[in-house]
Amino acid sequence: MDPLWQNIFRKKLNEESLAFFLKNLPIFSELSPRALQILEGIVHVRSYKANEPIFEEGDPGSGMYMIRSGTVKIFAGGQDNAENELALLAQGDFFGETTLTAPAPRSASARTLEGTELVGLFRADILELAEKYPAVSSSIFLGLTRVVSERLQAASLEIRRLRKQLGEPSAPENIET
Amino acid sequence: MSNFAQKHRGWTRAQVALAFFVLTAAIACGLAIYSSASSLIGLSRTAFSVLFLPLLLSLVLAFLLDPLVTLLEKLCMRTGSIFIVYILALGLASLAVLWLTPHWREFWNNMGADFPRYTAQVIVALKKVIAALHDRFPMIAEFDFPGKVRIWMEQLMSAILAETPQSALKIGGLLVIVPLFTFFFLRDGRSILRACVALAPNRHFEMVRDLSYLVSRQLSHFVRGRIIEAIIVGLVVAVGLSFTDIRYAPMLGIFAGVTNLIPYIGPIIGMVPGILIAFVDLGVGGQFWWIVILYILIAQVLIDNFILIPILISRVSNLHPLLVFFAIIVGGKFYGIIGMIIGVPILSVIKIALLEIRTYRRTFRLPESSLEGERPH
């Protein structure tokens, strides 16, 4: 490319930037440009080959992954012989967000299906951020809480629907709605 | 030779010669590679030994200054806040130099005259003790203990005098290098750590990131705690000594602070010169006992054991006394007096890292095993 013409394509380059990718995720959609810039500095971009395990059930979980490109399969049951596919995730999806704040073993395994680029955000980075930029980290946590509670709500609705399908009398309501 | 060559499937003379040359060349190459490799190892060892002390000092300084820089970072850029901290530190250091300079000059002027005097006094005292012992245990008469002490003291003095210009040069170099290194550690420490963590393979990346965070947090607490403890103990000793007529009070304070970095043995070494000087100059009296009480009861028991250690240092980093002695001996073997001082903290650092890894693994193993019911308790 002629260096003279490079400036014309700057917009396009911006769209390929990490900040642009993060901004388009539901978790970080309400972050300010400065917060995005700081966030860009603490996430880890990792590239995976096809069929590479990202984590396995029972691994110590300490953060979430966002898919920048490629496909990821989430499955339960550990080894390949009896894989129980739970979800197939593509670009823009994210997973593992429940272990970001509370250290817990992974509840399912994740594996790439093709060459995949993941953006990792880990508890250690968030905790360091919380000490340095409390305002930025609280807006990240707010977005995270929103997404997690949306998922929780959907899950509890699903549980109620399944109960009804089974014909069980609806149990005492102890699930947050 | 040609006979042999012909017998063995028609090797011609040229082929045998070629084989000979190839083998010789191979051996020569091997030797060359081996010798260059060993010289490479030697080179890297030299580089390491040259860089070791400045790197260590600047890492410690970076750990120490990091909270301050992070605090200021909320107001301006990180580089700017590092400069502000540097200017503050420079101001403090120049104040300290101004305060110390008269004492320093006095110290150097008197040191040459005083040291032999102290030695002589100690030897006189030792002779008395030996004479008293001699009355009870006649068999130790052959052992010339005071003579040995005198020779040893003279050797120590001449070593100090000979080393001083050399070490002054070294310290001058450190004064330039250490702030420079510290600046970069402060500015880029996080990205250096990130780059190191990024080298981990995908499968273990998450765990490495978590552990690096836990270990570095524990480490910075530990290093900061030890240094602040040493500074406070040094200050207490210096201030306490300045109430008496003892000379070299600031120097003795610094010495007590530095040696306080070594557990168990350090405080004892730190109080020896002070008590010796007090004994020789002031005699056994009110001031002497005040100094002994200051060193043992106030600085060590009250300030250090009851106040500083519980606040600053977690029991996690406690080492078994035997390990402390090992660290001091091995550190002294490698890097002399500096090695003795840093050996124990380095061992504690290793212990902290290992403990963090263990607790991390345990944290994640427990819920898993309880799920699978592997360990019925």
Side-chain angles (χ1 to χ4, degrees):
Chain A
M1 199 195 295
D2 193 337
L4 198 68
W5 296 97
Q6 252 174 7
N7 269 350
I8 292 172
F9 298 104
R10 181 168 281 171
K11 182 98 175 44
K12 184 142 192 286
L13 277 178
N14 267 346
E15 280 177 9
E16 279 166 11
S17 74
L18 193 55
F20 182 83
F21 166 74
L22 292 171
K23 175 83 184 162
N24 279 352
L25 290 171
I27 297 185
F28 306 125
S29 58
E30 276 162 38
L31 290 188
S32 64
R34 182 167 171 272
L36 270 178
Q37 195 192 344
I38 290 166
L39 182 67
E40 211 181 2
I42 64 161
V43 295
H44 303 261
V45 180
R46 312 281 302 174
S47 55
Y48 289 75
K49 286 184 220 121
N51 279 321
E52 197 178 337
I54 300 163
F55 52 72
E56 270 164 27
E57 205 176 317
D59 276 0
S62 64
M64 63 181 286
Y65 291 93
M66 298 151 265
I67 305 172
R68 205 177 174 191
S69 68
T71 329
V72 171
K73 183 169 128 177
I74 308 287
F75 59 96
Q79 296 308 313
D80 287 326
N81 45 16
E83 278 183 13
N84 178 13
E85 188 179 308
L86 297 175
L88 212 59
L89 304 176
Q91 196 202 354
D93 290 335
F94 53 91
F95 54 96
E97 71 282 353
T98 46
T99 55
L100 188 56
T101 46
R106 296 281 185 199
S107 55
S109 307
R111 206 181 57 206
T112 59
L113 292 181
E114 53 184 321
T116 299
E117 199 175 36
L118 297 179
V119 179
L121 176 64
F122 300 110
R123 187 168 53 247
D125 303 303
I126 286 264
L127 288 178
E128 268 179 13
L129 192 75
E131 280 168 26
K132 250 169 80 177
Y133 305 105
V136 174
S137 67
S138 76
S139 62
I140 291 173
F141 278 130
L142 212 62
L144 187 76
T145 321
R146 200 181 56 235
V147 166
V148 170
S149 42
E150 270 167 20
R151 288 193 173 180
L152 192 63
Q153 211 159 14
S156 55
L157 283 177
E158 179 76 5
I159 290 172
R160 203 182 289 169
R161 193 182 61 79
L162 289 171
R163 276 223 175 98
K164 211 171 272 177
Q165 234 173 31
L166 279 171
E168 270 182 23
S170 74
E173 201 66 29
N174 53 6
I175 301 158
E176 282 298 321
T177 48
Chain B
M1 193 67 195
S2 65
N3 234 350
F4 166 82
Q6 274 156 11
K7 262 183 204 163
H8 290 263
R9 290 178 192 164
W11 278 33
T12 64
R13 193 170 288 177
Q15 274 172 329
V16 171
L18 189 69
F20 175 73
F21 281 126
V22 167
L23 274 176
T24 317
I27 290 167
C29 280
L31 278 177
I33 289 167
Y34 175 75
S35 68
S36 70
S38 65
S39 73
L40 215 67
I41 290 166
L43 274 178
S44 52
R45 190 175 294 159
T46 315
F48 179 73
S49 68
V50 167
L51 282 177
F52 181 73
L53 190 61
L55 273 182
L56 192 91
L57 285 178
S58 15
L59 268 178
V60 167
L61 217 65
F63 272 133
L64 206 61
L65 295 179
D66 186 60
L68 211 60
V69 172
T70 312
L71 201 74
L72 285 170
E73 206 184 343
K74 285 169 189 161
L75 305 176
C76 56
M77 295 293 290
R78 189 160 178 90
T79 315
S81 55
I82 296 171
F83 274 121
I84 293 173
V85 168
Y86 265 44
I87 289 166
L88 282 177
L90 202 71
L92 275 179
S94 47
L95 272 181
V97 167
L98 274 181
W99 175 62
L100 270 179
T101 312
H103 300 284
W104 191 254
R105 204 168 293 149
E106 180 195 301
F107 176 77
W108 279 121
N109 288 342
N110 294 342
M111 184 72 177
D114 277 348
F115 197 81
R117 196 161 57 81
Y118 292 139
T119 345
Q121 290 272 358
V122 169
I123 284 163
V124 167
L126 265 175
K127 266 186 181 152
K128 272 184 203 160
V129 174
I130 294 285
L133 274 176
H134 189 222
D135 291 342
R136 281 167 217 173
F137 309 103
M139 61 278 199
I140 59 168
E142 295 93 48
F143 190 71
D144 182 20
F145 194 65
K148 288 227 158 148
V149 168
R150 180 182 293 136
I151 289 166
W152 185 72
M153 289 287 210
E154 275 163 7
Q155 274 174 353
L156 183 72
M157 189 61 199
S158 64
I160 289 173
L161 286 179
E163 288 267 320
T164 304
Q166 213 183 347
S167 59
L169 222 120
K170 244 188 223 169
I171 289 168
L174 283 181
L175 279 180
V176 177
I177 292 170
V178 169
L180 199 74
F181 282 8
T182 310
F183 174 78
F184 286 111
F185 281 141
L186 278 173
R187 203 192 63 169
D188 305 327
R190 257 167 248 258
S191 44
I192 291 171
L193 192 66
R194 265 178 77 89
C196 292
V197 167
L199 291 176
N202 281 335
R203 192 72 186 80
H204 303 289
F205 176 72
E206 216 174 303
M207 194 178 70
V208 171
R209 176 69 194 102
D210 239 22
L211 282 178
S212 76
Y213 169 71
L214 293 171
V215 170
S216 70
R217 196 186 51 177
Q218 279 285 346
L219 267 188
S220 59
H221 277 188
F222 173 73
V223 171
R224 225 170 280 155
R226 296 300 307 205
I227 300 284
I228 292 171
E229 182 202 352
I231 289 171
I232 293 176
V233 167
L235 267 180
V236 165
V237 168
V239 169
L241 286 179
S242 62
F243 289 143
T244 67
D245 298 332
I246 198 168
R247 294 148 97 181
Y248 315 130
M251 296 309 302
L252 290 171
I254 291 173
F255 187 72
V258 170
T259 51
N260 202 64
L261 291 172
I262 311 172
Y264 305 108
I265 305 171
I268 299 169
I269 298 173
M271 68 181 72
V272 164
I275 289 174
L276 255 175
I277 291 173
F279 174 69
V280 172
D281 275 357
L282 308 171
V284 180
Q287 288 200 347
F288 176 78
W289 290 116
W290 158 248
I291 287 165
V292 171
I293 286 170
L294 169 78
Y295 267 116
I296 296 173
L297 278 183
I298 298 176
Q300 281 310 316
V301 177
L302 202 70
I303 302 284
D304 204 22
N305 277 346
F306 285 169
I307 301 173
L308 293 180
I309 290 180
I311 294 174
L312 292 172
I313 294 163
S314 68
R315 299 235 167 262
V316 174
S317 59
N318 278 356
L319 292 171
H320 192 271
L322 204 60
L323 278 177
V324 170
F325 285 114
F326 287 166
I328 291 168
I329 291 164
V330 173
K333 188 80 190 161
F334 278 144
Y335 291 105
I337 293 171
I338 290 164
M340 286 180 162
I341 294 169
I342 61 180
V344 177
I346 285 178
L347 197 67
S348 314
V349 159
I350 293 169
K351 191 190 173 191
I352 288 170
L354 289 177
L355 277 179
E356 274 302 322
I357 292 170
R358 202 178 67 177
T359 39
Y360 180 81
R361 292 171 64 110
R362 192 171 287 170
T363 313
F364 285 107
R365 204 181 309 135
L366 272 178
E368 198 188 346
S369 63
S370 66
L371 269 178
E372 290 166 7
E374 275 177 2
R375 288 181 199 166
H377 281 298

